[in-house]
Each structure stands twice: as C-alpha cells, then as structure tokens.
Amino acid sequence: MAKTATELGEAYAMKGPALELGSVVLEGTAHPDARVRMPLSMLNRHGLVAGATGTGKTKTLQLMAEQMSAAGIPVFLADIKGDVSGVAAPGADTERVRERATQTGTAWAPTGFPAEFLSLGGLGAGLPVRASMTSFGPLLLSKVLGLNETQESSLGLVFHFADKAGLPLLDLKDLRAVINHLVSDEGKGDLAGLGGLSKATAGVILRELVGLEDQGGDVFFGEPEFDTADLMRVTPEGKGVLSVMGLAAVQDKPELFSTFLLWLLADLFQDLPEVGDVEQPKLVFFFDEAHLLFDDASEAFLDAIARTVRLIRSKGVGVFFVTQTPKDVPSEVLAQLGNRVQHALRAFTPDDAKALKATVGTFPASEAYDVSELLTSMGIGEAAVTILSERGAPTPVVWTMMRPPASSMAPLDPATLASMVNASPLLPDYAVAVDRDSAYERLLARVAPPSPPAPVEPQQRAPEQPPRPDPGDGEGERGALSGILGSPVFQSFARSAASAAGREITRSLFGTARRSRPRRRSSGGW
C-alpha cells in the first residue's frame, strides 16, 4: 500500500530537537505540513551527503550547519570552491527564496552565523593551519607523498628513531635532516636492529619531499601547530562557531588537503574523552570531496579510517562525508553512516548507470517511490532522505524539498572576509610561523666544530662577589635556586629528562602523535 505524504511526514516527526531539512514531495507536489527532520541526538551516528555536481550539496551543508550553530553545536566545514563563506552573512530576500520557503513551510529570515575562517598554511584567506611533522605522523605523510607499502614502512622507522632519540620533527627540513643522518656513516647503525634504511628508499622519500616543497607544501608543516580544541567553540550567546576552511587555493593538491582534514579528525579522536550517547554532539565535521581520501589508499589506511569513524561517535563527534555517490565510500565506512541525504545523480554513461544501480542498492526498499527513477529525476535542491529516528531505526526514503539557507548563498566579498580574519581572537596564536630548535638544529650541532674558548685578558681580576644574602630575607632562597639550576648536575639531569620526554611519544591509529599542548588563548572574542 502506497504511503501518503502525511504518513511519510509522521516517520520524521521527532519529539526532541532536530534539524529541519524540508518538506515531503509526493507525485511531484511539495507538502509543507509534512516536515522532514533529523534528530540532533543521532548526528553522531554520522552521515552522507551525496549527489552530482550542481545538484545542491553545498547548500544542504550550509542549511544543516547554520541550524547546528543555532542549536549550540560547533561545526567544521571544508570549503573547496569558496562558496561556503556566506554563512557569516545574512541571506538575500529574493523571489526564489520566498517561493522555496513557502514550499517547505519555512518562516524564513535572513541570518548570519558566527564563523572562523581557516586556511592550510596561510594559502588563501583565513588563519594558517599547520601541523608539525611529528604529530602528522608517517602514515598520513606516506599518503600525501604517494609512497608504496615498503617506503611507508621505512618512513615509519625514521619517525620511530626520531621519537626515541628526542629529535622533534617540526617541518620538512627536520625530516630531511634525520633521513640524511640515518643513511650517513655516522647514523646508519642507529636502525641496524630494526632492518635499517636503504639509500635507495631514502632517496625516493627525499625526492618526494623536495617535490612537496617545490609545490609549496613546506608552509603546511611547522609551528604554531593548530589546536583542534579551537574547532569546538561556542559564543557567549550559545551559538556554535562554524569553522570554515577555505581550500580553493590548494585545489590542485587534493591528496594533501584531504589528508590534512583527516589529521584534524584523528587529532580530535586522540584528545577527546569518551562521553557515550549525548543529546547533541560536541562537534559535527563535514568531510568534503571524501572520495579523494579513499583513492589509492592502502588497506591499513582504510582500516584506520573505518575504526576512527566507528569509535569517534562515543566521543561526541559526528562525521558527514560529502561526495558524488555512495560508491566513493568504502563499504566498511558506508555501513556506519546512518543519515543519508542523496541529491540527484546523472546516468549519461555506462559507468554512471553502474553507479546509480549501486546507489539504489544502499537505500531501504520504498513503497512510495521508485528509487532508481527518483534519483535521476529530482531537481536542484531536492534530495532522497533516509535517517535514523530517535530510537535508532532507519526511516523510510522520502523525496524532500530542501529548505533555503538563512545565510547568504553567495561568497563573502574579499574585503569583508579579510576584515573578519583580522578581527579573529585566534589571530595572535597562529598568524606568525615559528622555527624553534628541532631535529635539524640538533643534528647540525653534532657535526659542528666546537667553539674555541674565549681568550682571557692578562691580569684580569675576578669580579667582586656580592655579599651573601641573609637566608631569612627571601633573596637567599632565590639565590640558592639559581645556583641549583645553573649547576652542571642539574643541567645534565634536565637534558636527560627532556630526552626521556621525547621518547614517550605514542601514536594513534593513523600514526599521529599524542602530545601535550598548552592552551594559547588570547584575550577577547569568543
């Protein structure tokens, strides 16, 4: 028996707080009273937003993100084409918007939302996001460099040596220095018990690092390293901050930016405590152009992604993958995506038809629609939706007329965007790159000739010593402490402790490093 619009709407009538996606469409007619809603409590069961280019995926992300912000949920958005920045500005009241608002029963009002703009390494408008080589780790870096499994294993040995030797890998020159050391006469014995590093493999890795640097990749690695806790901010008014990472300037480096997004997710996974089921997530992470992440990935890499997605749910983080078809996502990951918003697909070629058939097979059977026909006939801003209800059960597939976003559907003009970046309370924390003492400098110091002793002036008199302070006046305690800190015994102990701290680095599923980072919070702002 075919469902009516009212019956389909009842399947989405959630009791608790929920996102308003749009209205039910049946036989080509929108029914404003039959609402399609997605419960906030199920957002950390993850999701998929898919569809062909130009079918409305980006505006669906915008619609969902601004409602999450209004509910107090911080959101991370990757902005590949530069058209998501409009979330910070009120939308334009146009005839098309008013018509869509009527079709979806939306009380539309133009509204801007709090946004923080980020950029990889400072390429583009936004706060520079960097990661140290040590924390990025060998597995993710191997994906960026396109290394095979043997080369990836060798790179892992390089990181293992640096971790144990207390050699911080902050940027590309640090990693190059350690690799050159391990194949030199002085350092080739350091990995002897672990199989060593062949000069041929080292040469391949070094050439790939040079290529990465020639493409401008050196700006992505270094310090100050981005603290992913800054993705989870809420304004004093209780709105979640939308962190928008502009990627238009690095579109030609897809493997780099997609892997960097995964580093952000892996870092969150390491740092956040277990919280179990929550009324609404602590953060929702939209992973755009998700197919780039899975292309040519090793089995170990894919397994790490699947495990992270499965486990990060209990830490209060929801992940939505954004791509063209469900076929782009491995089955182990796709099986964990409980919320689905599928925009139209195009079947112009045999490959398109094959992808369409595979997509239809991932949807539950429908009494109301021929899903295969539906997926090729929907218009722009329409989607086939199935989600998890509040009790965790899949809802029936419903053709949905998506609501119009309340924020601007056009990009911010460059001057406004630059002004917002310059006004960010995080700007003092990340604006200026820092090059501190690390592996390159420490290895260089090993081979540098010792400095000659300073010449002694003839008949030089020792300076008069100040009178010894009375221990009772407080100056004695400070003087004694200064003496201890300056003693050779204490300095030797400090060097040993620092070396031990370097050896205590532990790595996650992706080989990213656990480390303690002091909070660098400037005054003002959020």
Side-chain angles (χ1 to χ4, degrees):
M1 180 180 176
K3 297 279 188 180
T4 66
T6 300
E7 289 172 326
L8 289 170
E10 287 174 352
Y12 289 83
M14 309 303 166
K15 296 180 180 178
L19 304 182
E20 296 279 353
L21 298 183
S23 61
V24 173
V25 178
L26 199 59
E27 298 180 353
T29 301
H31 296 264
D33 294 333
R35 306 291 183 84
V36 179
R37 310 175 78 223
M38 183 182 294
L40 300 187
S41 60
M42 290 291 125
L43 292 180
N44 67 335
R45 262 59 172 188
H46 312 315
L48 176 73
V49 179
T53 300
T55 55
K57 294 193 303 294
T58 300
K59 298 315 163 193
T60 292
L61 305 188
Q62 191 170 336
L63 168 68
M64 296 173 68
E66 62 187 29
Q67 291 187 63
M68 292 176 194
S69 173
I73 302 171
V75 179
F76 173 86
L77 290 158
D79 188 5
I80 306 292
K81 295 172 288 188
D83 52 1
V84 180
S85 60
V87 293
D93 186 0
T94 66
E95 182 178 347
R96 186 174 179 181
V97 166
R98 290 194 295 272
E99 179 184 3
R100 181 57 64 98
T102 300
Q103 292 172 323
T104 55
T106 303
W108 189 88
T111 310
F113 295 85
E116 187 73 71
F117 295 98
L118 311 172
S119 63
L120 276 185
L123 296 182
L127 300 177
V129 173
R130 308 178 187 90
S132 70
M133 279 286 181
T134 290
S135 68
F136 202 73
L139 186 59
L140 296 184
L141 185 59
S142 295
K143 181 70 165 61
V144 171
L145 299 178
L147 303 182
N148 62 33
E149 291 187 7
T150 300
Q151 295 156 355
E152 178 183 307
S153 176
S154 295
L155 186 61
L157 288 179
V158 174
F159 274 78
H160 173 81
F161 166 76
D163 291 349
K164 298 299 181 183
L167 295 173
L169 302 177
L170 303 184
D171 50 30
L172 289 180
K173 74 176 186 300
D174 289 322
L175 183 56
R176 286 201 304 266
V178 172
I179 293 172
N180 284 320
H181 166 76
L182 291 174
V183 294
S184 68
D185 292 338
E186 179 189 11
K188 62 184 178 181
D190 289 337
L191 292 180
L194 299 174
L197 176 67
S198 74
K199 286 192 174 182
T201 299
V204 171
I205 298 173
L206 287 170
R207 285 195 296 274
E208 294 298 333
L209 289 174
V210 170
L212 179 61
E213 186 171 15
D214 288 344
Q215 296 175 31
D218 53 325
V219 300
F220 307 124
F221 298 101
E223 291 186 323
E225 184 171 82
F226 186 74
D227 189 342
T228 48
D230 287 329
L231 299 177
M232 306 181 69
R233 292 177 297 145
V234 177
T235 69
E237 296 76 28
K239 288 187 176 182
V241 175
L242 305 178
S243 298
V244 181
M245 177 172 281
L247 298 173
V250 290
Q251 285 189 78
D252 59 337
K253 303 176 181 65
E255 289 188 340
L256 178 60
F257 75 67
S258 63
T259 310
F260 233 97
L261 297 184
L262 188 57
W263 172 76
L264 292 173
L265 193 61
D267 194 72
L268 285 164
F269 177 78
Q270 290 182 81
D271 287 352
L272 293 176
E274 296 280 339
V275 295
D277 291 327
V278 290
E279 293 183 358
Q280 64 182 45
K282 293 182 175 182
L283 173 73
V284 173
F285 195 102
F286 284 97
F287 211 123
D288 206 355
E289 299 292 340
H291 66 280
L292 298 172
L293 185 64
F294 305 115
D295 288 348
D296 301 320
S298 66
E299 288 297 323
F301 191 84
L302 293 176
D303 180 63
I305 295 174
R307 292 170 64 189
T308 299
V309 172
R310 182 172 66 250
L311 297 174
I312 204 169
R313 177 190 69 79
S314 64
K315 298 194 172 192
V317 176
V319 183
F320 279 73
F321 291 96
V322 185
T323 188
Q324 294 206 1
T325 76
K327 184 183 174 183
D328 296 332
V329 181
S331 57
E332 303 94 320
V333 177
L334 188 62
Q336 299 175 50
L337 310 182
N339 302 298
R340 301 274 298 278
V341 180
Q342 176 70 59
H343 288 270
L345 293 175
R346 306 300 180 222
F348 298 138
T349 68
D351 286 343
D352 291 341
K354 186 177 179 181
L356 173 62
K357 184 177 180 180
T359 300
V360 172
T362 65
F363 278 86
S366 173
E367 297 179 5
Y369 308 100
D370 178 334
V371 176
S372 179
E373 181 181 345
L374 174 63
L375 294 184
T376 57
S377 61
M378 292 185 298
I380 297 172
E382 300 174 6
V385 174
T386 177
I387 63 170
L388 293 179
S389 69
E390 289 168 312
R391 61 187 186 88
T395 58
V397 178
V398 61
W399 179 2
T400 305
M401 179 78 69
M402 306 298 291
R403 291 162 55 115
S407 55
S408 174
M409 289 187 269
L412 287 179
D413 68 85
T416 301
L417 180 55
S419 175
M420 295 184 70
V421 173
N422 290 332
S424 168
L426 301 183
L427 187 66
D429 296 337
Y430 298 117
V432 180
V434 176
D435 187 10
R436 65 179 175 90
D437 179 70
S438 52
Y440 174 82
E441 289 79 13
R442 295 181 188 185
L443 289 172
L444 191 64
R446 291 186 184 182
V447 298
S451 302
V456 179
E457 294 286 341
Q459 300 178 345
Q460 185 177 18
R461 296 179 59 187
E464 293 186 6
Q465 299 295 321
R468 191 177 187 89
D470 178 23
D473 63 6
E475 289 294 323
E477 293 180 7
R478 286 190 288 274
L481 179 60
S482 177
I484 293 171
L485 294 177
S487 70
V489 173
F490 181 85
Q491 290 180 354
S492 175
F493 167 77
R495 284 193 296 271
S496 299
S499 179
R503 291 192 294 270
E504 290 173 359
I505 293 175
T506 59
R507 295 192 174 274
S508 70
L509 292 173
F510 287 103
T512 55
R514 295 179 181 274
R515 70 269 184 219
S516 175
R517 292 169 298 192
R519 296 291 293 144
R520 307 174 307 279
R521 182 55 48 243
S522 305
S523 60
W526 295 315

